[in-house]
Amino acid sequence: GEDVEQSLFLSVREGDSSVINCTYTDSSSTYLYWYKQEPGAGLQLLTYIFSNMDMKQDQRLTVLLNKKDKHLSLRIADTQTGDSAIYFCAESGRTGRRALTFGSGTRLQVQP
Amino acid sequence: NAGVTQTPKFRILKIGQSMTLQCTQDMNHNYMYWYRQDPGMGLKLIYYSVGAGITDKGEVPNGYNVSRSTTEDFPLRLELAAPSQTSVYFCASTSGGVYNEQFFGPGTRLTVL
């Protein structure tokens, strides 16, 4: 079955790098995603990576994918207080319904 | 474009009451979804639709019903509210295109007392 796991909490100082990790079990995942949820808001897509890629960089965000270990990470460089939020890892399998399977989210707290 | 809109934003129900959560998208997306988010948990799929007139159950459908008479609207019905349905409900949609980006509404926070 499909399962996505994340650590629950990460605290960093402003200006440091943050690394949020995720493991998944569905080897047929075509895309893997990182969504950001700010307090009281819906989820917003931050970035995604196709399953045949190892790395994707988008400004301050770097996504690393290790398909062998089914491990995904999100690195945020120069973390700012505005980055404080919950970050969800999600995967999209090959099923026709196109639904996502989400992890439980990692709460990132950025200390000034 | 307004994207995905949901109403109401907040609601308190008594046990046994019924209500409909509304969801509308203006992006002409075929795929629409209802998820629930319990505290400290990820999102769980309740129901989904791949087009007007077509709906199917997700992982946690018990106690809910949906309909999809138009491309734009995908309401979620709770018939007999129970405390276990206290949650935040998110509607989402996607065109199902190349990388399948899902667009989320702002959520409805429901409390059943």
Side-chain angles (χ1 to χ4, degrees):
Chain A
E2 301 167 350
D3 199 12
V4 179
E5 294 190 357
Q6 301 176 238
S7 53
L8 292 181
F9 185 76
L10 176 65
S11 181
V12 300
R13 291 198 180 275
E14 193 172 16
D16 287 350
S17 292
S18 308
V19 180
I20 302 171
N21 295 300
C22 169
T23 58
Y24 62 98
T25 57
D26 187 357
S27 58
S28 69
S29 297
T30 49
Y31 284 95
L32 295 127
Y33 308 84
W34 285 103
Y35 278 83
K36 178 182 181 182
Q37 184 183 33
E38 298 189 13
L43 278 70
Q44 179 186 6
L45 180 66
L46 266 185
T47 187
Y48 65 94
I49 188 167
F50 189 47
S51 58
N52 69 351
M53 296 171 64
D54 297 324
M55 185 181 87
K56 180 180 180 183
Q57 189 145 4
D58 185 1
Q59 299 183 337
R60 291 191 298 124
L61 305 178
T62 303
V63 179
L64 295 177
L65 175 60
N66 181 327
K67 278 191 68 178
K68 175 175 167 290
D69 295 337
K70 298 191 184 70
H71 182 267
L72 182 73
S73 68
L74 173 70
R75 179 176 179 269
I76 306 173
D78 187 25
T79 313
Q80 304 297 308
T81 54
D83 295 324
S84 293
I86 301 176
Y87 291 81
F88 290 93
C89 170
E91 60 92 14
S92 172
R94 295 184 186 277
T95 62
R97 67 186 192 181
R98 305 284 202 275
L100 302 183
T101 300
F102 288 86
S104 54
T106 299
R107 182 178 295 274
L108 175 64
Q109 182 179 72
V110 183
Q111 312 270 15
Chain B
N1 286 352
V4 180
T5 57
Q6 292 182 238
T7 57
K9 284 189 167 48
F10 303 94
R11 184 75 184 266
I12 298 175
L13 283 182
K14 293 184 180 177
I15 294 171
Q17 285 186 321
S18 300
M19 77 165 293
T20 299
L21 282 67
Q22 301 291 346
C23 175
T24 300
Q25 52 91 10
D26 61 0
M27 297 171 282
N28 202 34
H29 287 167
N30 284 326
Y31 298 84
M32 294 188 75
Y33 308 89
W34 277 105
Y35 296 92
R36 60 176 285 173
Q37 183 183 26
D38 297 330
M41 305 290 286
L43 280 69
K44 300 293 184 187
L45 182 66
I46 305 171
Y47 269 95
Y48 68 99
S49 170
V50 301
I54 307 169
T55 63
D56 207 346
K57 297 177 181 178
E59 277 76 48
V60 290
N62 290 346
Y64 307 95
N65 273 302
V66 293
S67 59
R68 183 100 181 267
S69 56
T70 66
T71 299
E72 294 79 20
D73 299 307
F74 190 40
L76 178 72
R77 178 88 179 153
L78 283 71
E79 288 295 347
L80 291 170
S84 61
Q85 293 176 304
T86 295
S87 190
V88 181
Y89 291 84
F90 289 102
C91 180
S93 74
T94 179
S95 65
V98 175
Y99 64 92
N100 194 33
E101 178 180 2
Q102 293 203 1
F103 294 83
F104 283 81
T108 295
R109 184 175 295 275
L110 175 66
T111 302
V112 182
L113 300 174

